[in-house]
Amino acid sequence: MANISGARLARLALEEVGVRHAFGIPGVHTTELYDEFASSSLITPHLVCHEAGGGFMADAVSRLGDSLGCLAVVPAAGLTQAMSALAEAYLDGIPMLAITAGLNTASGKVHLLHEMDQQALTATVTKGFFTAQNHADIAPAIYDAARTACSGVPGPVLVEIPQALLITTANTPAPAPFTPSPLPPPPPPEQLTAAVEAIADMKQPGLCVGWGGRGARDELVALAEFLQAPVSTSLQGLSSFPADHPLHTGFMFGHAAVPAGEQGFANCDGLIAIGHRFGEVGTASWSMNPPENMIHIDIDPSSIGANYPVRQGLVGDAQVVLRALLNALNKAAKPRSDAKRLKRTINSAKAEYRKEWHRHSSGDRVNPVAFYDALDNALARDAIVVCDDGNHTFLTAELMPMSGQRRFVSPTDFNCMGYGVPATIAASLCNPRTQVVGIVGDGAFHMTSNELLTASAEAAPVVIFVFNDGELSQISQAQEIPYNRKTCTVLPAADFSQIATAYGTSFVCLRDNEDLADGVERALEMAKSGRPVLVEVRVDYSKRTRFTKGAVKTQLNRMPVKTKARVVSRALWRRVAHVE
């Protein structure tokens, strides 16, 4: 037995569960915990400018690092600031530990500082709430929370440790070694047999890969080559399959997909979906029409068949399930012959789509495809690309190839703007030897641009590309057709060079296509000095992505006839009458 404080017990337990970075802003309730972080040889505490930014950083560590992301905030005020980040992690299926203190009730008084029911507050955006009644409960609470965060469908959890426990000591043993939950077993043999039979009935199968497939790239490549099947990805799953593989069609399939996704899947009579939940964003508002002969692999049983019917569901971790499925397929069938025509179709469609974008005149602004060509040429094959939420996200999905071992993340199901800057910084902190770039829209950038100060303080060698068009473009584009005017989507002008100066970052401006290649390479080279770089990209958004056009068309077709007629007639009248 040892006389040990609650804060030290918490720190030791956090080290055991694999926390290596803790983000937040200390307050009167958590100073003891932060003091322990300063004594840790394993956990690095990071001061952020806003708790939402800290939450997005913790999220990015879980997505892109080899440790569990941790947010450490004061009760109530800090926690409410971080709610958007918790919700993003919750809906995207990202594990995270949120640590906060409970109130100091020793006075016996009411109306305490930060008094709030934190369990009730976070119930809809966390997988669980864990607290401690005494010192001996602290480590088990953190261990249970970590297992809950990482098992099944991953997600954020909240651990509340009363301030009285953090600051006092007790004769309590140090935490025992942590044991994580095991991966779920592979599906039973009869389900694998049924899946093999379903595949045998497919003349041309296709693969659709989401975020859940990111840890099974080798197995996905093996399955695609065994079946000679085209492979599309969701937005979250963009880097789950190498973009330079000849069977990779790109983002989505169907009429809202890039041409390679539409043409490559045109003759598919069967589909294997891996770690893809078929949510609204990942399907362009359910514009996809998967074949009825579908096998759906997901760790979440409630996702299987939720939005589209399936012939066979397989519940489990993608890598575990795919290994079992490949083993069953190898015993039951021979690999299919090389689909040379399909590969030519995919390759031709990809090339033609880029030519289509190059033919588009961007005037005196930057053509998106020219920017992505320059970035692709300059970026390492194992680089990390982080996006925010906005029109730039879908341009990146359609035009930026995640070739080789590149990794990509963006907020998806909660779709929270402001994610990009802090997540890019955290991606660099937990991958210090990897090239990391962020691509954000100007509207999203303004939400969390203050975290550039964190980047400067941490000497994070990141490059943040801000697509500056002066609008909340994804919404302003959606306003144009039905309203013929833009309400609250035109942004006030900002001087990005002055923002860079204020936050201590280097600055580059990409004004047009002429200085793209040199400007991108210069920004990446500048970041090597350990100073973050802010790059203003004066982008042209006049050409719509396939995703945007497909989603708008799907939503319009889904409207009742009277509503559709009202929207169309109003838009026409405003155009004729020049209403602004």
Side-chain angles (χ1 to χ4, degrees), residues 210-357:
W211 173 253
R214 71 199 180 281
R217 281 170 58 107
D218 291 344
E219 290 78 11
L220 286 166
V221 169
L223 181 62
E225 292 177 349
F226 187 94
L227 299 175
Q228 289 298 295
V231 183
S232 76
T233 72
S234 69
L235 178 62
Q236 261 197 298
L238 208 60
S239 56
S240 293
F241 196 89
D244 45 359
H245 193 284
L247 289 168
H248 178 263
T249 63
F251 176 44
M252 295 187 46
F253 65 87
H255 76 265
V258 290
E262 185 175 27
Q263 297 172 31
F265 278 75
N267 297 318
C268 286
D269 61 344
L271 185 72
I272 305 173
I274 303 102
H276 193 314
R277 295 192 294 192
F278 294 106
E280 184 171 8
V281 175
T283 60
S285 194
W286 299 289
S287 65
M288 293 176 170
N289 291 302
E292 291 184 4
N293 189 7
M294 180 164 73
I295 298 167
H296 194 173
I297 300 169
D298 203 279
I299 201 164
D300 181 7
S302 69
S303 290
I304 295 176
N307 287 326
Y308 295 109
V310 300
R311 176 168 168 179
Q312 181 62 54
L314 299 173
V315 178
D317 176 80
Q319 187 177 58
V320 173
V321 174
L322 286 175
R323 285 178 177 175
L325 182 60
L326 282 164
N327 184 53
L329 279 170
N330 277 303
K331 291 179 179 178
K334 293 182 179 180
R336 302 195 182 198
S337 57
D338 188 25
K340 295 180 180 178
R341 180 179 296 180
L342 172 63
K343 292 176 181 177
R344 285 196 299 268
T345 297
I346 292 170
N347 186 59
S348 175
K350 284 183 175 181
E352 182 55 37
Y353 191 50
R354 299 195 86 80
K355 290 178 183 177
E356 177 188 318
W357 274 89

Side-chain angles (χ1 to χ4, degrees), residues 493-567:
D495 189 331
F496 287 90
S497 66
Q498 293 299 312
I499 293 173
T501 299
Y503 289 128
T505 75
S506 300
F507 178 73
V508 174
C509 183
L510 304 179
R511 293 176 174 82
D512 53 39
N513 295 336
E514 296 302 317
D515 58 356
L516 271 178
D518 176 68
V520 169
E521 289 183 3
R522 184 156 42 95
L524 293 172
E525 187 64 29
M526 291 166 71
K528 292 179 181 178
S529 68
R531 188 182 186 190
V533 183
L534 177 63
V535 182
E536 178 187 358
V537 184
R538 296 185 180 175
V539 71
D540 167 39
Y541 272 154
S542 61
K543 181 175 171 58
R544 307 291 187 264
T545 61
R546 295 267 300 198
F547 174 91
T548 298
K549 291 188 288 188
V552 170
K553 180 180 178 181
T554 299
Q555 291 167 351
L556 188 63
N557 289 340
R558 195 177 291 140
M559 289 181 181
V561 175
K562 288 184 178 180
T563 302
K564 189 187 303 183
R566 180 179 67 85
V567 169

Side-chain angles (χ1 to χ4, degrees), residues 16-358:
E16 274 291 321
V17 302
V19 168
R20 297 297 176 260
H21 300 271
F23 302 92
I25 302 173
V28 294
H29 296 84
T30 58
T31 52
E32 194 80 11
L33 181 61
Y34 270 85
D35 189 67
E36 280 296 327
F37 286 157
S39 299
S40 175
S41 61
L42 297 176
I43 299 174
T44 302
H46 303 275
L47 172 64
V48 300
C49 294
H50 192 284
E51 284 91 352
F56 292 139
M57 292 182 192
D59 171 299
V61 166
S62 288
R63 296 191 198 221
L64 294 164
D66 56 3
S67 61
L68 180 59
C70 178
L71 174 69
V73 295
V74 296
L79 193 60
T80 55
Q81 300 276 48
M83 286 289 284
S84 289
L86 290 174
E88 188 67 63
Y90 183 73
L91 290 189
D92 282 4
I94 308 301
M96 185 198 301
L97 271 178
I99 307 291
T100 188
L103 301 182
N104 189 347
T105 59
S107 67
K109 308 293 186 183
V110 296
H111 307 310
L112 301 173
L113 173 66
H114 297 327
E115 187 170 359
M116 180 175 282
D117 185 340
Q118 298 190 116
Q119 182 175 9
L121 172 70
T122 59
T124 60
V125 294
T126 57
K127 286 186 67 180
F129 174 85
F130 302 84
T131 189
Q133 300 301 320
N134 53 57
H135 288 76
D137 290 342
I138 292 175
I142 290 173
Y143 285 6
D144 288 345
R147 280 188 283 263
T148 299
C150 297
S151 62
V153 182
V157 295
L158 178 62
V159 179
E160 180 187 272
I161 305 173
Q163 185 190 18
L165 296 184
L166 290 172
I167 64 176
T168 59
T169 61
N171 288 324
T172 307
F178 173 69
T179 304
S181 298
L183 286 174
E190 60 271 18
Q191 290 185 6
L192 291 170
T193 299
V196 169
E197 291 173 354
I199 292 171
D201 291 338
M202 300 176 187
K203 293 180 181 178
Q204 177 58 71
L207 270 60
C208 183
V209 186
W211 173 253
R214 71 199 180 281
R217 281 170 58 107
D218 291 344
E219 290 78 11
L220 286 166
V221 169
L223 181 62
E225 292 177 349
F226 187 94
L227 299 175
Q228 289 298 295
V231 183
S232 76
T233 72
S234 69
L235 178 62
Q236 261 197 298
L238 208 60
S239 56
S240 293
F241 196 89
D244 45 359
H245 193 284
L247 289 168
H248 178 263
T249 63
F251 176 44
M252 295 187 46
F253 65 87
H255 76 265
V258 290
E262 185 175 27
Q263 297 172 31
F265 278 75
N267 297 318
C268 286
D269 61 344
L271 185 72
I272 305 173
I274 303 102
H276 193 314
R277 295 192 294 192
F278 294 106
E280 184 171 8
V281 175
T283 60
S285 194
W286 299 289
S287 65
M288 293 176 170
N289 291 302
E292 291 184 4
N293 189 7
M294 180 164 73
I295 298 167
H296 194 173
I297 300 169
D298 203 279
I299 201 164
D300 181 7
S302 69
S303 290
I304 295 176
N307 287 326
Y308 295 109
V310 300
R311 176 168 168 179
Q312 181 62 54
L314 299 173
V315 178
D317 176 80
Q319 187 177 58
V320 173
V321 174
L322 286 175
R323 285 178 177 175
L325 182 60
L326 282 164
N327 184 53
L329 279 170
N330 277 303
K331 291 179 179 178
K334 293 182 179 180
R336 302 195 182 198
S337 57
D338 188 25
K340 295 180 180 178
R341 180 179 296 180
L342 172 63
K343 292 176 181 177
R344 285 196 299 268
T345 297
I346 292 170
N347 186 59
S348 175
K350 284 183 175 181
E352 182 55 37
Y353 191 50
R354 299 195 86 80
K355 290 178 183 177
E356 177 188 318
W357 274 89
H358 277 290

